[in-house]
Amino acid sequence: MRVLIVEDEPIIALEIEAIVLERLPNAEVRVVMSVAEALLEADQVLGLAFLDIDVTDGKTYPLALKLCLNKVPFAFVSGARSDEAPQELAGARFIPKPFCAQDIRDIISSLGEAPECDASDEEAT
């Protein structure tokens, strides 16, 4: 399984990666720091993604919409406010920073669940 982590703080990215690999030891984890890099990774088959909202080149909302359209489970892991997300992403999973490892584990455990967002009428870029 390929797991995408979009996080511009290296320590946090490493922590999320360690939790993912603890639960999914055979996962191929890709860590990127920008929306541009993440959108390229999203063209690959993904099993799961963890997204910070504010990264080096902007907000990850366009990526989240793309993941919704592709039915890839994801969660925002961010210090940003969840209520600032676009309406289409209002139901997306959100883990506030600072987070605990169990929050990440819970998302991994819910892999079979479809993303909770309404991106069907939106154009993801």
Side-chain angles (χ1 to χ4, degrees):
M1 171 186 300
R2 189 178 188 120
V3 178
L4 176 63
I5 299 170
V6 184
E7 174 60 62
D8 58 354
E9 293 291 333
I11 300 293
I12 295 171
L14 287 171
E15 185 175 358
I16 295 171
E17 181 180 24
I19 296 165
V20 168
L21 290 172
E22 166 192 298
R23 295 294 265 213
L24 303 169
N26 296 321
E28 178 186 345
V29 179
R30 297 287 298 147
V31 177
V32 298
M33 298 177 67
S34 71
V35 175
E37 291 175 292
L39 286 169
L40 292 174
E41 288 295 327
D43 288 336
Q44 305 297 316
V45 174
L46 295 172
L48 177 64
F50 292 96
L51 316 176
D52 189 0
I53 291 175
D54 295 299
V55 293
T56 58
D57 61 348
K59 297 196 182 291
T60 58
Y61 298 139
L63 171 64
L65 290 169
K66 185 172 187 169
L67 294 174
C68 283
L69 289 172
N70 293 335
K71 306 228 182 296
V72 175
F74 73 92
F76 289 114
V77 182
S78 182
R81 292 180 26 189
S82 62
D83 62 353
E84 294 177 354
Q87 184 61 35
E88 308 80 57
L89 298 171
R93 295 173 186 99
F94 185 85
I95 300 171
K97 289 180 184 175
F99 62 86
C100 68
Q102 189 59 46
D103 295 332
I104 305 296
R105 289 185 197 111
D106 289 345
I107 296 297
I108 295 168
S109 295
S110 68
L111 280 178
E113 297 177 17
E116 295 180 20
C117 50
D118 183 20
S120 57
D121 296 330
E122 293 296 315
E123 180 73 24
T125 56

